[in-house]
Amino acid sequence: MSSEQQNQSSYFQVPSKTVTANGVSYAYREMGPKGGVPVIFLIHLAGTMDNWDPRIIEPIAAKHHVITFSNRGVGASTGSVPDTIEAMADDAAAFIQALGYPTVELFGFSLGGMIAQSLVVKHPSLVRKLVLAGTGPAGGEGIQQIIGTTYYDVVRGALTRQDPKEFLFFNRNAAGKPAARAFIQRLKERTTNSEAPISLKAFQTQLKAIRRWGLSPSADLGVITQPTLIANGDNDRMVPSVLSSDMHRRIPGSELVIYPDSGHGGIFQFHDRFVPVALEFLGR
């Protein structure tokens, strides 16, 4: 498939590929014009490549080479899930290097945003720009409570036969409920070549890694010199929205967008407003 054909494709029609790094076979998908600096998308807690909103991926891939992948031990990627964010960042760096890219731009959502922060600190020469959405810094107050919030909403989802992301990512009000349903429907657009859901053990390991991140010493975000765009909703129950403002204050020259009446999935609820901002930032 040529890059021009990929530009015209749905994200959910893009085939999966694999690359091996340090004995791990990483499943990934790529879309959009090649030749520039690729944008590597780092997925959220329990997420696989199938969990990216096509309304985010497709318009960005119309202008940029986009690469999504599943973390070690998740989806079609082999190995076992690491129990620290730092190890996940090393995995992401190994994956990027295995693809042969000396420099990339990172788009991290939630857990992926934590991995992106760790990666840019540990491997600064690898990263040109950062997009951090729905995430928080190491030592961020309230992050350690994610286990309780997540399990509570997983149970709510099971009892109401709804996807837990409807509760975790969106407000349960007149604006949030239809946005949640629309988001879940968009994720169902892929009908073939889907990845297996995360295992319970892998999910629990990721949760512990996030809790450890929240309880760790506060990070020195002043060392991040790369251009950084930070985005969230104003009512994030998973990673408190105040932490987005905190990161903005501590990352020199960073930019912040907060969407009203929205939660953890604010960039998905307001994809039509967020994508132009992200494209302008990545296009500089």
Side-chain angles (χ1 to χ4, degrees), residues 134-172:
T135 194
E141 187 174 352
I143 291 177
Q144 73 276 9
Q145 297 168 8
I146 196 168
I147 292 180
T149 302
T150 300
Y151 280 134
Y152 176 68
D153 281 352
V154 166
V155 170
R156 288 169 79 191
L159 291 174
T160 59
R161 296 185 179 180
Q162 290 171 274
D163 190 304
K165 289 189 286 295
E166 293 196 37
F167 298 94
L168 288 164
F169 286 13
F170 300 89
N171 291 342
R172 303 303 294 162

Side-chain angles (χ1 to χ4, degrees), residues 39-110:
V39 185
I40 308 292
F41 279 70
L42 302 162
I43 193 62
H44 59 74
L45 168 70
T48 70
M49 293 184 288
D50 294 339
N51 289 112
W52 281 113
D53 189 340
R55 299 302 177 273
I56 300 284
I57 296 288
E58 290 167 4
I60 293 179
K63 306 271 188 183
H64 298 270
H65 181 195
V66 164
I67 299 174
T68 64
F69 76 106
S70 287
N71 295 315
R72 170 159 56 107
V74 181
S77 293
T78 64
S80 56
V81 171
D83 60 2
T84 67
I85 300 298
E86 292 77 11
M88 295 179 193
D90 287 338
D91 285 347
F95 165 75
I96 291 163
Q97 289 161 346
L99 290 178
Y101 295 110
T103 311
V104 298
E105 295 172 343
L106 298 179
F107 187 119
F109 173 66
S110 192

Side-chain angles (χ1 to χ4, degrees), residues 19-26 72 77-80 94:
V19 66
T20 300
N22 299 334
V24 176
S25 175
Y26 291 95
R72 170 159 56 107
S77 293
T78 64
S80 56

Side-chain angles (χ1 to χ4, degrees), residues 10 15 25 39 59 69 90 148 169 174 184 190 200 204-205 209 214 225 255 267 271:
S10 155
S25 175
V39 185
F69 76 106
D90 287 338
F169 286 13
I184 297 303
R190 176 173 282 274
L200 178 59
Q204 291 171 331
T205 303
T225 58
E255 299 166 51
I267 66 167
H271 60 87

